[in-house]
Amino acid sequence: SMFGKARTCSVVTVPEHEPSEVNIVILGGRGSGKSALTVKFLTKRFISEYDPSLEDTYTSEEVVDQQPVLVKVMDTADQDGPMNCERYLSWANAFIVVYSINSRHSFELCLQYLQTLSIYFKGLQPEAPVILLGNKLDMERYRQVSKADGAALALRFGCQFFEVSACLDFLSVKHIFHEAVREVRRE
Ligand code: GDP
Ligand code: MG
């Protein structure tokens, strides 16, 4: 019978609150490695030269904790600090705010982004989760931002914090994007 047939199908039930699409916006100063991180996540490869003015949105089918999800990543290309934020503020489900550990200036720009986000989301539900990310961990010798400074800024704005390198292992880069998905699911 029809019912008998249905019983033989394997049905994957996705809980109502599990979003099937998660939009992630990558913010940060020019040169912090937003595009390198995005490309690494999408292709597992490090691309050393990437048009710094190119802003685009990419889609990737991911499986996070056994649950499929369509991840959309907007790799932004602001000139210097938060500008015309309207284009992504209402679109985003989560943000990754990037600096490079060898640039104090890029770290200071993160403060501007975090302030912009916290002002925008004040009183809004759900608040989009934010991950603060120190990139270029392979440049340890030229470090200008201590891990403690990164952690303190993240604590102040209630975000998760990681340090990573877009040119080293793929798994730690993937982990950050997957954490963003987990945070959205927790909302
Ligand atoms: P964006 O402007 O934030 O998109 O930065 P890009 O992704 O274009 O990277 C800017 C420069 O930093 C490029 O020359 C990249 O090759 C380099 N870069 C990006 N990520 C890393 C990293 O993790 N380590 C090192 N050493 N260089 C990186
Ligand atoms: Mg870029």
Side-chain angles (χ1 to χ4, degrees):
S1 75
M2 214 167 88
F3 297 106
K5 213 172 196 173
R7 240 178 274 132
T8 64
C9 297
S10 68
V11 177
V12 178
T13 47
V14 179
E16 201 88 42
H17 63 276
E18 297 269 271
S20 52
E21 260 186 53
V22 171
N23 297 343
I24 302 175
V25 173
I26 318 291
L27 298 172
R30 186 170 269 205
S32 55
K34 299 179 297 296
S35 299
L37 289 162
T38 302
V39 171
K40 181 78 165 198
F41 170 61
L42 296 167
T43 70
K44 303 189 181 174
R45 299 174 68 179
F46 176 67
I47 304 226
S48 64
E49 289 310 320
Y50 201 82
D51 182 348
S53 63
L54 199 66
E55 176 162 305
D56 215 336
T57 300
Y58 308 89
T59 299
S60 179
E61 287 176 29
E62 297 291 316
V63 177
V64 180
D65 302 330
Q66 291 84 51
Q67 300 283 358
V69 58
L70 197 67
V71 175
K72 293 190 180 171
V73 181
M74 186 192 290
D75 172 27
T76 65
D78 283 339
Q79 285 287 359
D80 210 21
M83 283 188 334
N84 310 316
C85 312
E86 302 77 25
R87 69 189 187 283
Y88 51 71
L89 281 173
S90 58
W91 180 81
N93 300 119
F95 295 90
I96 300 176
V97 178
V98 184
Y99 63 93
S100 51
I101 66 155
N102 60 337
S103 160
R104 193 76 206 174
H105 176 65
S106 71
F107 184 64
E108 279 151 15
L109 285 175
C110 284
L111 174 62
Q112 291 186 26
Y113 280 108
L114 293 171
Q115 283 170 334
T116 301
L117 295 180
S118 97
I119 289 165
Y120 177 79
F121 284 102
K122 191 161 259 170
L124 284 186
Q125 285 297 333
E127 214 174 297
V130 181
I131 291 175
L132 180 65
L133 183 59
N135 185 37
K136 309 198 188 182
L137 195 51
D138 59 298
M139 302 290 272
E140 183 68 55
R141 288 165 60 205
Y142 308 100
R143 187 189 272 277
Q144 290 183 1
V145 184
S146 70
K147 194 167 183 179
D149 282 354
L153 184 62
L155 188 65
R156 186 174 147 197
F157 286 90
C159 14
Q160 282 205 73
F161 170 62
F162 299 97
E163 286 186 340
V164 78
S165 169
C167 59
L168 298 178
D169 77 310
F170 164 70
L171 286 180
S172 25
V173 173
K174 183 174 95 166
H175 177 72
I176 287 147
F177 286 84
H178 283 202
E179 272 303 307
V181 170
R182 290 188 185 101
E183 292 245 17
V184 172
R185 286 176 176 170
R186 272 183 219 121
E187 291 285 314

